[in-house]
Amino acid sequence: MTETTNRRTLRERIYNALALVAIGAAVAVAVGFPVAGALTGGTLRANFALALIVIAVLLDIAVLLSYVASSRIQTVVHVAWLSVAIMCLIFTEYILTLNEIDADKTADTVLLIVMLALTFPAGWVAIGATFVYSVFFLSNRGTNPLELILFWLFFFTAGYLQWFKILPWLIHKWRIYRTSQGKTEMKPND
């Protein structure tokens, strides 16, 4: 093996480990926050919402790290990201079904914060789409389950395109550029 190949393999192993640490931390938060909150007398829903926010940030880090890691790690991170996004939708729909005052505002807030963290920075595009929709189509009665799904879809689409389509494409183009630059530098001058 050449020295370049050894460095590339070592770098991939390091990023594999870092991405797995980020996913492991997300799992620890998923288990730890609700349990710790229950032991300290907090509500399970509030602790779960806070856990989702922290998990979303950790998964953003894992996604970024996975682009240097192996394809297996990328698949694990991809599935974890999709799972948290779906869990956010299920959790906010559950909040919406509760017979509590301002359940719709609570569901909207949790969805907004978790999905913005999960899709940052593309989530700002989803906030714009949500704002436009709410100005023109949303009545004063609050959010219903179908509208919550629509808002979630705005965020999900923006985040999915950002993390799993646009960013890999940009990284691929950057690698091609770097490779072509390396080849032109190595050519002897005439």
Side-chain angles (χ1 to χ4, degrees):
M1 281 189 168
T2 66
E3 185 178 330
T4 306
T5 306
N6 286 339
R7 268 191 264 139
R8 190 176 306 130
T9 304
L10 178 62
R11 184 177 62 208
E12 183 178 298
R13 286 181 182 167
I14 290 169
Y15 280 94
N16 283 348
L18 291 173
L20 288 175
V21 165
I23 291 174
V27 170
V29 167
V31 172
F33 270 44
V35 170
L39 294 175
T40 60
T43 66
L44 188 60
R45 284 191 313 263
N47 291 317
F48 190 72
L50 182 59
L52 277 175
I53 295 166
V54 174
I55 290 167
V57 172
L58 290 169
L59 283 180
D60 286 348
I61 294 167
V63 168
L64 288 171
L65 293 169
S66 75
Y67 289 116
V68 185
S70 69
S71 60
R72 287 187 302 177
I73 298 297
Q74 288 177 8
T75 302
V76 169
V77 170
H78 189 118
V79 168
W81 190 91
L82 292 170
S83 300
V84 170
I86 292 168
M87 182 56 65
C88 178
L89 176 64
I90 292 168
F91 181 60
T92 54
E93 287 288 342
Y94 166 72
I95 292 171
L96 201 58
T97 63
L98 299 175
N99 290 328
E100 295 179 356
I101 298 171
D102 292 337
D104 59 335
K105 289 182 176 131
T106 303
D108 285 344
T109 303
V110 170
L111 181 82
L112 173 79
I113 293 171
V114 172
M115 290 304 288
L116 182 59
L118 194 61
T119 63
F120 185 80
W124 287 103
V125 173
I127 287 177
T130 302
F131 176 75
V132 168
Y133 177 84
S134 62
V135 165
F136 291 109
F137 301 108
L138 196 61
S139 67
N140 291 332
R141 60 172 163 53
T143 306
N144 67 41
L146 289 176
E147 288 168 338
L148 197 66
I149 291 171
L150 180 65
F151 296 159
W152 178 83
L153 276 172
F154 289 155
F155 281 102
F156 180 82
T157 302
Y160 185 84
L161 289 174
Q162 168 188 275
W163 291 125
F164 304 113
K165 298 298 178 190
I166 297 170
L167 192 58
W169 180 79
L170 289 172
I171 290 170
H172 175 72
K173 291 297 182 183
W174 173 252
R175 287 178 178 159
I176 289 173
Y177 171 76
R178 291 285 309 246
T179 303
S180 68
Q181 289 294 25
K183 288 180 182 176
T184 58
E185 290 175 7
M186 295 171 72
K187 288 183 181 177
N189 292 335
D190 293 304

